[in-house]
C-alpha cells in the first residue's frame, strides 16, 4: 500500500514523501540469559496476530504458558499455538529434532494448516545429540553446561555446510545416502568419542519423519512475504536470550544461534525493513542456567529465596537456575543491541516479601568503575543501588494498584535501562498482566 505524506507550506499543501506503508512483523526477544517469560507474552499477544514465527534455537528452549491453571511447555512449536486462530511457523533459522517435534506435536489435535515448517530448517540427528554430550564431558570443568540437545553440533554442521535440511525428507533416497556418507567421512571423530550410529535403522527413522512431518514442510520465506503483502499481522518469537547470543553474549558460554532481534531476519527471510515493534522480555531480577559469568548472582539466602519464589527450575532440563539481582548494565546493553522499543517486565511478584532489593548500576573492573559490558565479564564486581521492598504485587492487574515501592522500582529501572516498560507481569497466568 502506498502512503502519501503531505505538508502545508505558504503555497498550500505539497507532497513531501511517498512511502510504502507495508505491514511490519513485531518481535519478542529475550533480554537476559533466557527463561525471562517469553512464552507467556507471546501467548498473550498471539491473540492479536495472524501468524507467530520461531526464528532460531531448537528444543533447548522451554517456553511455559499457563492458562486457567493448566501448564503447557513448548520447545519447538511457537507459543501462538494455544490461540486457535494463529498460524504457527518454525522458521529456517531453527534447528529441529524431528523426534522432539513429533512428540511435542502429539499434545495438539489437528495441526494441519496451523503449523508450517521451513524446508530450509536444519535437522538435529542422533549423532548431533551424542556429539554435544560427549564434547561437554571432554570439556570437564570448562563445560558450557549445554542442554545436551545437539544444538551446537547441528549449527556447526549447518555453518560447515555438512547439515541436513528438513526439506530433504522429500527425497529419502538422496537424504539417506548423504547421511551415510557423512557418517563414513566423520567415522574417525565419532569413533574417538565412542559414538556408534546404527546405519541400518536410518531409513526407517527417515520414513517415520517423512510420514509425520512432510505435510507441514513448506517454503516459509515465501509464505511470510505473501502474508506481509496481504497485510497479515506477524509476531516473531525469539528463544534463549541476548546474553546467550553467539556473537554478542558471554562467549563461549552461549548458545549457537543469533538470539538477538537481528537473528529474526536471518531465521525467517524477512528483511530489516519488515520488522516493526521490538519488545524485550526481562525478569525483574536475573537468572542463568548453565555455566558462564553472571555478575549479580546471589549465592546466599536471597538467591535461594528468588529460586523458591520464582520456581526457578529449567523447563527443558529441570536444572535449578542460578539466581541474582537485576543487572541494569546488561539490560541497557541488550536493549541497545536489540533496538527495543519497549520492555515487558516479568515476575515482579517474585520480589514480594524482600526487605531490600538490589539493582546493579555499574561494574568495578581492575579498580575502575565502568558502565558498559566488558569482554572480561567474569572479572567485574557489581556496584549496587538498594531499593526498599514491598509485599503484595502478585496477581495485580492495574498499575495504580501496585505497592508504591514497586511502582518506584519500575520507574527507576526504566531510567537506568533507558527503555520504556510497557508490560508488567505479576503471575504465570495469562491474565495477570499490566499494560501501561
Ligand atoms: P521463556 O523461556 O522465556 O518462555 O520462560 P520459561 O517459560 O522458561 O520460564 C519462565 C517461568 O516463569 C515459567 O514457569 C512461567 O510460567 C513463569 N512466569 C512467567 N511470568 C511470570 C510472572 O509474572 N510471575 C511468576 N511468578 N511466574 C511467571
Ligand atoms: P529459553 O528459550 C535458558 C543455555 C544452556 C547453556 C547454553 C548453551 O527457554 O529461554 P545449548 O544447549 O543451547 O547449546 O546450551 O545456553 N540455554 C538456555 N538457558 N533458556 C533457554 O531457552 C536456553 N537455551 C539454552 O543452559 O548454558
Ligand atoms: Mg525457558
Amino acid at each position: 500500500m502506498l502512503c502519501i505524506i503531505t505538508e502545508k507550506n505558504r503555497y498550500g499543501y505539497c507532497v513531501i514523501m511517498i512511502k510504502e506503508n507495508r505491514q511490519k512483523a513485531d518481535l519478542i526477544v529475550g533480554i537476559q540469559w533466557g527463561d525471562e517469560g517469553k512464552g507467556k507474552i507471546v501467548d498473550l499477544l498471539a491473540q492479536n496476530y495472524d501468524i507467530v514465527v520461531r526464528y532460531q534455537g531448537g528444543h533447548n528452549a522451554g517456553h511455559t504458558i499457563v492458562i486457567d491453571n493448566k501448564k503447557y511447555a513448548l520447545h519447538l512449536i511457537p507459543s501462538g499455538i494455544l490461540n486457535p486462530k494463529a498460524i504457527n511457523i518454525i522458521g529456517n533459522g531453527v534447528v529441529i529434532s524431528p523426534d522432539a517435534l513429533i512428540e511435542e506435536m502429539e499434545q495438539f489435535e489437528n495441526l494441519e494448516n496451523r503449523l508450517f515448517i521451513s524446508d530450509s530448517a536444519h535437522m538435529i540427528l542422533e549423532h548431533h545429540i551424542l556429539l554435544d554430550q560427549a564434547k561437554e564431558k571432554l570439556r570437564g570443568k570448562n563445560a558450557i553446561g549445554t542442554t545436551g540437545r545437539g544444538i551446537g553440533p547441528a549449527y556447526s554442521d549447518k555453518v560447515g555446510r555438512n547439515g541436513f535440511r528438513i526439506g530433504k525428507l522429500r527425497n529419502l533416497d538422496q537424504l539417506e545416502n548423504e547421511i551415510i556418507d557423512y557418517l563414513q567421512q566423520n567415522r574417525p571423530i565419532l569413533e574417538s568419542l565412542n559414538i556408534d550410529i546404527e546405519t541400518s535403522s536410518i531409513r526407517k527413522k527417515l520414513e517415520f519423519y517423512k510420514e509425520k512431518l512432510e505435510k507441514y514442510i513448506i517454503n516459509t520465506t515465501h509464505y511470510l512475504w505473501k502474508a506481509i503483502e496481504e497485510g497479515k499481522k506477524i509476531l516473531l518469537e525469539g528463544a534463549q536470550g541476548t546474553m546467550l547470543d553467539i556473537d554478542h553474549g558471554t562467549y563461549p558460554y552461549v548458545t549457537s544461534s543469533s538470539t538477538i532481534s537481528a537473528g529474526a531476519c536471518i531465521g525467517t527471510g524477512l528483511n530489516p525493513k519488515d520488522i516493526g515493534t521490538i519488545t524485550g522480555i526481562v525478569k525483574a531480577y536475573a537468572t542463568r542456567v548453565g555455566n558462564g559469568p553472571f555478575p549479580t548472582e546471589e549465592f546466599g539466602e536471597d538467591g535461594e529465596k528468588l529460586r523458591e519464589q520464582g520456581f526457578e527450575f529449567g523447563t527443558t532440563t529441570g536444572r535449578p537456575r542460578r539466581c541474582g539481582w537485576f543487572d541494569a548494565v546488561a539490560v541497557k546493553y541488550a536493549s541497545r543491541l536489540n533496538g527495543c522499543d519497549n520492555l515487558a517486565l516479568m515476575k515482579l511478584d517474585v520480589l514480594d516479601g524482600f526487605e531490600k532489593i538490589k539493582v546493579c548500576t555499574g561494574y568495578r573492573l581492575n579498580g575502575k568503575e565502568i558502565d558498559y559490558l566488558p569482554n572480561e565479564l567474569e572479572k567485574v564486581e557489581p556496584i549496587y543501588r538498594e531499593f526498599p521492598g514491598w509485599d503484595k504485587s502478585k496477581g495485580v492487574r492495574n498499575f495504580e494498584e501496585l505497592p508504591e515501592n514497586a511502582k518506584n522500582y519500575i520507574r527507576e529501572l526504566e531510567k537506568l535501562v533507558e527503555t520504556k516498560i510497557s508490560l508488567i507481569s505479576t503471575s504465570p497466568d495469562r491474565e495477570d498482566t499490566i499494560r501501561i
Side-chain angles (χ1 to χ4, degrees), residues 35-39 62-64 315 321 347 349 425-428:
D35 301 325
E36 297 91 348
K38 298 175 291 291
H63 298 179
T64 317
T315 313
R321 295 174 183 149
K347 304 187 91 161
D349 55 295
S425 172
T426 59
S427 103

Side-chain angles (χ1 to χ4, degrees), residues 349-368:
D349 55 295
V350 174
L351 297 177
D352 285 3
F354 279 88
E355 207 172 302
K356 291 257 180 299
I357 294 164
K358 292 203 259 181
V359 171
C360 169
T361 57
Y363 302 134
R364 206 166 280 116
L365 178 65
N366 302 325
K368 271 198 197 146

Side-chain angles (χ1 to χ4, degrees), residues 153-382:
Y155 276 118
S156 300
D157 273 352
K158 171 178 170 174
V159 176
R161 292 153 296 176
N162 296 310
F164 305 102
R165 286 176 156 184
I166 203 161
K168 288 217 160 168
L169 287 174
R170 292 177 186 136
N171 183 346
L172 285 193
D173 288 341
Q174 194 190 345
L175 178 59
E176 185 189 13
N177 285 337
E178 283 179 10
I179 295 175
I180 290 172
D181 279 353
Y182 169 100
L183 292 172
Q184 254 155 16
Q185 283 160 25
N186 288 276
R187 189 183 297 270
I189 300 168
L190 296 171
E191 272 181 4
S192 73
L193 294 167
N194 285 326
I195 297 174
D196 181 22
I197 306 288
E198 183 54 72
T199 49
S200 61
S201 58
I202 289 177
R203 179 68 185 216
K204 217 168 149 214
K205 271 194 196 159
L206 294 178
E207 279 167 4
F208 175 65
Y209 299 160
K210 184 182 170 88
E211 181 206 324
K212 293 285 182 188
L213 299 177
E214 194 179 15
K215 61 177 172 237
Y216 301 97
I217 299 173
I218 62 163
N219 179 331
T220 52
T221 300
H222 180 68
Y223 184 95
L224 288 170
W225 287 359
K226 234 172 126 231
I228 290 233
E229 271 164 28
E230 287 166 3
K232 295 261 163 61
K233 292 194 75 188
I234 300 171
L235 185 63
L236 306 170
E237 174 181 15
Q240 288 83 52
T242 300
M243 305 303 285
L244 292 172
D245 181 87
I246 184 73
D247 283 277
H248 302 283
T250 55
Y251 192 89
Y253 297 98
V254 292
T255 189
S256 296
S257 63
S258 297
T259 61
I260 61 171
S261 55
C265 291
I266 295 158
T268 57
L270 296 178
N271 72 51
K273 290 180 193 151
D274 289 324
I275 307 296
T277 302
I278 299 175
T279 301
I281 312 297
V282 64
K283 269 179 199 171
Y285 50 100
T287 63
R288 171 162 206 170
V289 203
N291 300 328
F294 179 13
T296 60
E297 183 166 11
E298 272 294 314
F299 297 95
E301 258 174 47
D302 282 344
E304 195 51 48
K305 192 168 165 184
L306 286 170
R307 188 173 308 109
E308 260 173 42
Q309 294 195 175
F311 194 68
E312 294 295 357
F313 298 89
T315 313
T316 299
T317 57
R319 291 178 288 179
R321 295 174 183 149
R322 298 157 65 191
C323 296
W325 301 113
F326 189 94
D327 184 339
V329 185
V331 173
K332 186 172 150 186
Y333 162 82
S335 178
R336 172 68 179 85
L337 258 181
N338 287 290
C340 288
D341 295 293
N342 53 49
L343 296 174
L345 187 72
M346 310 301 291
K347 304 187 91 161
L348 184 72
D349 55 295
V350 174
L351 297 177
D352 285 3
F354 279 88
E355 207 172 302
K356 291 257 180 299
I357 294 164
K358 292 203 259 181
V359 171
C360 169
T361 57
Y363 302 134
R364 206 166 280 116
L365 178 65
N366 302 325
K368 271 198 197 146
E369 281 188 20
I370 57 168
D371 62 356
Y372 62 89
L373 214 83
N375 267 355
E376 313 136 291
L377 195 61
E378 66 287 350
K379 292 196 186 145
V380 305
E381 192 194 315

Side-chain angles (χ1 to χ4, degrees), residues 124-158:
I124 298 183
L125 298 176
E126 191 186 355
H127 61 275
H128 292 127
I129 296 168
L130 296 172
L131 273 170
D132 187 8
Q133 294 167 1
K135 285 185 173 179
E136 277 287 89
K137 252 193 214 147
L138 283 180
R139 284 190 193 107
K141 65 174 179 34
N142 296 322
I144 310 289
T146 72
T147 58
R149 301 295 196 262
I151 305 296
Y155 276 118
S156 300
D157 273 352
K158 171 178 170 174

